[in-house]
């Protein structure tokens, strides 16, 4: 079934290239992310874009888990945080994280449209991320993502360990829609 190519072809690469990301494209990503929906329009997301040249870059890289070392190649690492008190808690749910996710996903689709790639991560030390980018103490860091143009794995093949090589070669998969999409009642396909 045909759907938007930006959605179907999106992927989270582990090899980013060195190509510079044009500032107009960063502006487009920001514009896309700010138009995301959010609970009561609270827009609780806070993005910090950290380029390779930024003085916060080394500290943010150090916050990443060892398994996410691949992200250090990306031209940008972006930390997204929010004040958990600054948005609604309808049904006792932490909607600040939902707001952030909607905004990031909107940015991701625009990134694909601009020929860029995003790889989101939850593997990092929160205190180190907060300290690196200066989020206030009461904020939660919600996600860190790598951003840039996808690189050619052949060019860095020797630097990749076996796990990374497997990831480069993998085929993206999803559960069958009958497993988690239902009609009328849970469990009913
Ligand atoms: C909230 C979130 C956290 C993730 N954390 C990591 C991570 O720490 N390291 C990593 O390599 N990939 C991480 N991923 C990427 C997922 O593994 C990836 O999206 C999934 O395997 C599907 O692949 P695709 O995005 O290429 O379709 C994360 C994705 C999301 C949305």
């Amino acid at each position: 079934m045909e759907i938007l190519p930006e959605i179907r072809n999106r992927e989270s690469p582990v090899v980013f290239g060195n190509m510079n990301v044009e500032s107009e494209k960063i502006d487009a990503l920001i514009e896309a992310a700010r138009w995301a929906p959010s609970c009561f329009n609270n827009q609780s997301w806070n993005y910090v874009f950290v380029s390779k040249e930024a003085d916060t870059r080394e500290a943010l890289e150090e916050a990443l888990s060892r398994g996410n070392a691949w992200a250090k190649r990306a031209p940008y690492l972006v930390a997204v945080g929010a004040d958990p008190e600054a948005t609604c808690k309808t049904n006792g749910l932490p909607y600040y994280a939902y707001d952030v996710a909607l905004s990031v996903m909107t940015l991701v689709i625009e990134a694909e449209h601009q020929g860029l790639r995003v790889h989101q991560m939850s593997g990092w030390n929160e205190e180190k991320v907060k300290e690196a980018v200066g989020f206030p103490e009461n904020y939660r860091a919600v996600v860190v993502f790598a951003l840039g143009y996808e690189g050619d794995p052949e060019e860095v093949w020797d630097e990749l360990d076996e796990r990374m090589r497997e990831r480069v070669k993998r085929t993206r998969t999803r559960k069958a829609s009958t497993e988690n999409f239902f009609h009328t009642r849970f469990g009913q396909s």
Side-chain angles (χ1 to χ4, degrees), residues 10-12 68 119-123 167 170 172 174:
R10 178 205 60 77
E11 34 178 311
S12 307
N68 283 333
H119 191 148
Q120 301 172 66
M121 293 170 278
S122 58
R167 287 187 70 176
R170 87 186 164 140
R172 291 172 67 236
R174 288 299 184 265

Side-chain angles (χ1 to χ4, degrees), residues 36-79:
S38 60
C39 199
F40 284 107
N41 202 17
N42 279 313
Q43 304 160 60
S44 53
W45 47 78
N46 295 266
Y47 287 76
V48 182
F49 286 74
V50 178
S51 69
K52 274 197 171 148
E53 296 72 38
D55 62 3
T56 51
R57 176 72 180 217
E58 199 182 331
L60 187 54
E61 285 186 1
E62 275 169 21
L64 300 176
S65 64
R66 241 185 307 157
N68 283 333
W70 54 263
K72 296 178 188 175
R73 278 195 209 90
Y76 280 92
L77 290 174
V78 183

Side-chain angles (χ1 to χ4, degrees), residues 11-13 16 107-108 111-112 116-120 145-148:
E11 34 178 311
S12 307
F16 282 87
L107 175 149
V108 168
E112 287 288 322
L116 294 160
R117 292 275 199 217
V118 169
H119 191 148
Q120 301 172 66
F145 62 84
L147 165 71

